[in-house]
Amino acid sequence: MDSLVSVISLFFYFFFFKQKTAYEMLRSLVGSEMCIRDRYQRRVREFLTEEMASCRSIVVRCFGGPQVLQLTSKPIPLPSCEEQVQVAVCAAGVNPSDTYVRLGPEGPWAATPHLLPELPFTPGKDGAGVVTMAHPSTGLCPGERVYWSNSLSGTLAEYAVVDSRELYRLPPSVSFAQGACIGVPCATAYRALFQRGRVEGGEAVLVHGGSGAVGLAAVELAASAGCHVVGTAGSEAGIQAVLSAGAASAVNHRVPGYLSAALSSVGKGGFDVLLEMAAHHNLVSDCGVMAPRGRVCIVGSRADPIGFNPRLVMPGELDVMGVFLPRASREELAAIHAALYELMCDGKLRPVVGTEVGLEEVQVAHEEVVSPSRGGAVGNVVVLIPNEI
């Protein structure tokens, strides 16, 4: 009964004083089993309407170019079941796949419409921030620093709701901006190298497109595993980033003959594992630099048809395989993020933030992630979201 009285008192406080303050106080009660039981929580949620509590957010009301990303406000999202967690977003990662979603049926995901959200929606999958509301069964507590992938409500907002099974603790040494780079880029790199490519220490690895978000993570992960890593990049800044991430050598993939230069740095019959970020352009030539029984892992490609001779893979018994993080099982994802956590704690994985913008510049972020203004990708694109937590 005391809890219900507290709730009623807070509603009076809301109507006569500060909306946001009342909401924050009420939320702290909703998240505590000791204060409000489930039946009261349901009643509280019915009262939390847009007029009572809203947050700044990017909202897309029609598919299209970057101009459809509009900064506005929306109701603060709330968990709808025990498995869901509310978080205050401090940084959101922007990935190429976010631009595909924004383009809708006219974009690269035209053949997979089931992956597109219903309009209107808030974009974004990756992010990092602080837990603000969680059921005790999740094992998470308000105030914990976390990162996540595949937000249920979108990450380009001050608050988001995430499935607790896709929410991971952020090491103290990793910033929120770096944490926003983990969910898709680092996890994809790990899956490509270790779960699909089955890389082992001592093997030669070529990261074809090594200066982007996934590429730099792959260089760092492969180097930490004891591999001889060669990376490619399209600018001098990108080459330096690849070398700083731990590559033994780096070449400019805009220079003719760069693959021969990459191959000469290995000193053996070819690369054991190759991570390809633009298979529509490079797959044929990739097969020419592989060692016998080498594994080509396709991380990225446009939906363009290519001419490919199957005999390219036969003499060397090459494996050519796709890498698609959403295909990973929950067990595989758990293994990925457990490994990433340990690597970050040991200082062997340091996500690289290349570009930082605010919510007001999200359109710029979507342009940068596909067409970098500096002439070549260098690290991750991150949206910083100031949050009073």
Side-chain angles (χ1 to χ4, degrees), residues 30-293:
V30 172
S32 172
E33 279 194 332
M34 295 179 63
C35 295
I36 304 179
R37 296 183 182 275
D38 289 344
R39 64 180 181 274
Y40 294 145
Q41 291 188 33
R42 288 194 295 271
R43 294 180 187 177
V44 167
R45 291 191 181 96
E46 293 174 359
F47 283 96
L48 293 179
T49 61
E50 183 174 5
E51 291 76 17
M52 294 182 68
S54 61
C55 64
R56 292 199 311 153
S57 173
I58 298 297
V59 175
V60 173
R61 293 185 171 86
C62 63
F63 294 114
Q67 71 279 1
V68 304
L69 300 165
Q70 296 297 312
L71 178 58
T72 181
S73 62
K74 71 173 186 179
I76 293 178
L78 287 166
S80 60
C81 63
E82 292 182 0
E83 291 77 20
Q84 295 180 5
V85 175
Q86 184 195 69
V87 291
V89 184
C90 297
V94 179
N95 301 299
S97 59
D98 295 325
T99 69
Y100 307 158
V101 173
R102 187 204 70 225
L103 289 169
E106 303 302 318
W109 284 7
T112 53
H114 62 284
L115 296 178
L116 298 174
E118 294 184 2
L119 296 168
F121 69 93
T122 294
K125 299 177 181 178
D126 288 359
V130 175
V131 173
T132 49
M133 188 186 299
H135 192 275
S137 63
T138 64
L140 295 162
C141 299
E144 286 195 79
R145 301 172 78 250
V146 291
Y147 74 92
W148 58 87
S149 60
N150 200 28
S151 166
L152 299 173
S153 62
T155 53
L156 293 179
E158 291 177 318
Y159 290 90
V161 170
V162 184
D163 188 317
S164 61
R165 294 168 293 184
E166 297 185 87
L167 195 65
Y168 311 95
R169 289 180 172 86
L170 188 66
S173 59
V174 180
S175 70
F176 288 125
Q178 290 176 306
C181 309
I182 302 170
V184 169
C186 294
T188 297
Y190 189 95
R191 179 164 176 78
L193 285 168
F194 300 102
Q195 293 184 342
R196 299 291 287 150
R198 308 181 305 281
V199 73
E200 297 180 357
E203 290 191 310
V205 176
L206 176 62
V207 182
H208 207 165
S211 64
V214 176
L216 285 177
V219 170
E220 204 166 13
L221 290 170
S224 69
C227 298
H228 180 95
V229 185
V230 179
T232 79
S235 67
E236 184 59 33
I239 288 175
Q240 292 305 314
V242 170
L243 293 172
S244 297
S249 61
V251 296
N252 190 323
H253 53 226
R254 301 185 191 277
V255 176
Y258 72 93
L259 280 179
S260 296
L263 191 57
S264 65
S265 69
V266 178
K268 55 184 293 186
F271 292 97
D272 300 294
V273 175
L274 188 153
L275 268 60
E276 180 53 68
M277 311 300 168
H280 62 285
H281 190 269
N282 300 321
L283 184 58
V284 174
S285 56
D286 286 342
C287 293
V289 297
M290 301 303 295
R293 295 186 176 86

